[in-house]
Amino acid sequence: MAVTAPVRVRLAPSPTGTLHIGTARTAVFNWLFARRHGGQFLLRIEDTDHERSKPEFTANILSGLQWLGLDWDGEPVIQSARVAEHRAAIEQLLASGHAYRCYATEQELTAMREQQAAANLPPRYDNRHRDLSREQQQAFRAEGRQATVRFRIDDAATISWHDLVRGEMRWSGADLGGDMVIARRAPADQIGDPLYNLVVVVDDVAMAITHVIRGEDHIANTAKQLLLYGALGAAVPEFAHTPLILNQEGRKLSKRDGVTSVNDFRQLGFLAAPLVNYMTLLGWSPPEGMEERFSLAEAAAVFDFERVNRAGARFDWDKLDWLNAQALHALAPESLRSQLLPLWTAQGWALTGPGADPAWQLELCELLAASLTRLPDGVGQAAVFFERPVANDAARTQLAVDGAGSVLAALLQALAATDQTSTALDRTALDKTAAKGLLDGAAKAAGVNKGVAMKSVRAALLGSLQGPDLLSSWVLLNKLGEDRPRLAAALN
Ligand code: GLU
């Protein structure tokens, strides 16, 4: 696709909840498109729903985007601050005859919809006040009736556009539900609160948006908005409607699915980079030859709408976990440590003595990194270093096999011997080579093979036959002064 004008796109979140994964994915596509074309990615906070909009949600949305690495250009536009412009546009539409006041009461509209339902017709406004005479209007006003402002939608109109994702789109004016309310009910000499479709168009025009990229649940709005562009005499942007995110059952991902906000994913232990990588894959596929693991910058270099699917994108936890695991395995120990430290502290693990030593913590992180899928795995797998484990069944069985006791006894003896020699290892300065030597020696002394020796020492030190590398784990426990007591306890 050839893009000529400088690209200006926007994300227009409503601050009525925390940053939703669907909004974040829309943000990703906007960001990628803007960066691909050296354009601007703008933010507009759509806070015109006064009751449901909250500053803390705005703060959450901004910090979530930041966390994901989706930096925006300039200051966010605050929609509620632009209400004078919205009203001016409504005045303009009233003056040009594209809009009119509708005095129908809530009861009248309800009765109308009930009749339609009884006749099995879809609900729509029947345009009853479209062509009121001056006298009729005055009569309604004299009654003290309030009025909405409605925008004329010609039933005979055909609305079409070339969607960057979905191709040729066509809507019939007759399918848009009749003349649309653009300002809420208010005393008839005023203009009530301007409504979504009008406000979005006025703001997109004011912000000189060139491409409107948003979820496909907005397609019908696009048809209505195109009519507004025409009536306001404004240049029409391009539109790209991105596929919905579906749950495992193939239905639209919703609050009922539990995990829907970026916060939730963060809480579950996903890192920003793999999460944003995964969100890009929700609907977009990288070109031939490009791996599925990529950074935002790498995706931005090749992103286009031709590779965005029309079909809904089913959420695949396995793929997200895989991407997260890859990212955790590759994480520098220093970064992993700063991510895990707060989680360790939250466990109430007193990080004192050698366990408070950053060097020791880094060594632990290096050991754990390779087996993590989500960050909290770095809590579960670290537990054995902060708390003495209770041996599980397999470990207890192992400690009861022939030769297990002798090997532990031999090992303790060897450790005691090294403690006495002044040139020998410091009690807590065991390294892997020395540990290996001690283990081999103990196996020999006890007359058991190395396999039995290793399993028995693992059972004694870690309380389980599974887990991280034995010698590295031992070295870490040795620094805490934890190896001797655990070996001794296993002997009893
Ligand atoms: N505030 C709207 C929403 O959150 C914006 C839709 C749009 O991008 O126009 O759905």
Side-chain angles (χ1 to χ4, degrees):
M1 181 195 54
V3 176
T4 43
V7 164
R8 289 172 65 86
V9 297
R10 75 340 184 244
L11 180 76
S14 306
T16 53
T18 54
L19 179 58
H20 187 274
I21 192 79
T23 309
R25 204 276 312 260
T26 300
V28 171
F29 284 6
N30 272 283
W31 187 94
L32 290 171
F33 187 72
R35 297 298 173 249
R36 168 80 201 268
H37 296 287
Q40 302 264 298
F41 170 56
L42 310 170
L43 280 192
R44 182 170 72 234
I45 303 298
E46 303 214 315
D47 59 342
T48 45
D49 180 342
H50 305 300
E51 262 156 45
R52 292 170 60 225
S53 297
K54 301 234 152 57
E56 56 268 34
F57 292 138
T58 300
N60 174 278
I61 290 166
L62 298 185
S63 66
L65 292 172
Q66 250 158 3
W67 180 68
L68 290 169
L70 302 168
D71 53 323
W72 58 89
D73 297 299
E75 286 297 312
V77 170
I78 306 299
Q79 190 162 64
S80 58
R82 296 184 28 78
V83 68
E85 275 94 326
H86 306 145
R87 290 227 160 86
I90 295 171
E91 301 270 16
Q92 182 190 331
L93 293 171
L94 281 168
S96 63
H98 286 99
Y100 62 89
R101 286 197 160 79
C102 167
Y103 301 86
T105 62
E106 204 48 77
Q107 293 87 319
E108 286 171 351
L109 294 175
T110 308
M112 176 191 76
R113 279 190 288 264
E114 279 167 5
Q115 274 174 14
Q116 288 164 343
N120 253 333
L121 294 168
R124 57 180 275 127
Y125 172 62
D126 59 7
N127 301 346
R128 58 179 63 182
H129 286 184
R130 186 189 263 194
D131 296 306
L132 293 180
S133 66
R134 193 176 279 273
E135 291 70 34
Q136 285 170 311
Q137 295 194 41
Q138 270 161 0
F140 284 134
R141 286 179 186 230
E143 274 179 43
R145 285 203 189 194
Q146 300 206 329
T148 57
V149 178
R150 286 190 185 261
F151 175 74
R152 286 171 189 264
I153 296 183
D154 182 0
D155 274 355
T158 302
I159 304 129
S160 61
W161 74 94
H162 181 84
D163 194 277
L164 296 177
V165 175
R166 309 182 68 85
E168 290 312 314
M169 303 290 288
R170 272 179 107 75
W171 273 74
S172 159
D175 293 335
L176 293 176
D179 294 344
M180 133 173 97
V181 180
I182 54 174
R184 264 190 238 282
R185 195 170 273 116
D189 56 345
Q190 293 170 27
I191 290 175
D193 288 338
L195 289 176
Y196 167 73
N197 280 304
L198 180 281
V199 165
V200 163
V201 170
V202 171
D203 288 350
D204 282 341
V205 170
M207 291 166 75
I209 297 303
T210 57
H211 297 76
V212 172
I213 303 164
R214 59 186 172 197
E216 68 172 39
D217 44 336
H218 284 288
I219 288 179
N221 287 328
T222 297
K224 295 175 184 169
Q225 290 172 20
L226 281 167
L227 294 174
L228 284 165
Y229 279 97
L232 291 167
V236 176
E238 303 263 8
F239 288 91
H241 289 95
T242 57
L244 297 181
I245 303 177
L246 308 177
N247 65 15
Q248 311 266 293
E249 288 77 48
R251 282 192 292 273
K252 185 179 171 185
L253 195 74
S254 74
K255 279 225 177 352
R256 260 169 292 129
D257 292 296
V259 182
T260 49
S261 87
V262 167
N263 272 358
D264 296 335
F265 286 91
R266 201 172 172 176
Q267 287 277 314
L268 284 174
F270 292 103
L271 302 181
L275 181 58
V276 94
N277 183 169
Y278 182 65
M279 285 194 289
T280 312
L281 291 172
L282 274 174
W284 182 74
S285 30
E288 211 66 29
M290 179 168 168
E291 283 193 35
E292 286 200 309
R293 271 187 72 202
F294 46 71
S295 67
L296 272 177
E298 285 161 344
V302 293
F303 182 82
D304 66 27
F305 284 109
E306 267 122 67
R307 307 196 64 81
V308 173
N309 300 325
R310 293 183 197 188
R314 202 178 281 245
F315 204 92
D316 180 350
W317 283 99
D318 290 339
K319 182 166 280 182
L320 175 58
D321 271 334
W322 179 79
L323 287 167
N324 204 58
Q326 301 299 308
L328 281 169
H329 301 174
L331 202 62
E334 192 44 72
S335 309
L336 184 57
R337 188 179 84 97
S338 59
Q339 307 252 23
L340 286 177
L341 262 182
L343 303 185
W344 289 344
T345 315
Q347 289 296 308
W349 289 336
L351 302 174
T352 51
D357 178 0
W360 182 87
Q361 294 170 352
L362 282 176
E363 227 176 296
L364 175 59
C365 286
E366 250 168 283
L367 177 64
L368 298 180
S371 53
L372 305 182
T373 299
R374 300 181 188 177
L375 269 179
D377 299 340
V379 176
Q381 295 178 25
V384 75
F385 296 95
F386 294 107
E387 290 167 354
R388 271 192 203 167
V390 178
N392 66 17
D393 286 349
R396 269 188 277 123
T397 307
Q398 176 62 36
L399 291 171
V401 305
D402 261 2
S406 341
V407 95
L408 298 184
L411 197 53
L412 275 167
Q413 219 167 37
L415 283 165
T418 62
D419 291 346
Q420 308 214 320
T421 56
S422 53
T423 57
L425 298 165
D426 175 75
R427 283 178 73 92
T428 60
L430 196 68
D431 66 12
K432 275 175 76 171
T433 317
K436 171 110 185 35
L438 286 170
L439 188 67
D440 291 349
K444 215 172 195 171
V448 299
N449 69 36
K450 283 183 194 167
V452 171
M454 281 185 75
K455 276 176 153 183
S456 306
V457 173
R458 180 183 281 282
L461 290 178
L462 304 172
S464 157
L465 299 187
Q466 256 99 51
D469 176 65
L470 175 63
L471 295 177
S472 310
S473 304
W474 181 4
V475 165
L476 281 161
L477 287 169
N478 170 270
K479 293 206 168 92
L480 298 178
E482 265 293 303
D483 54 345
R484 291 165 179 78
R486 290 189 189 189
L487 292 167
L491 261 181
N492 297 324

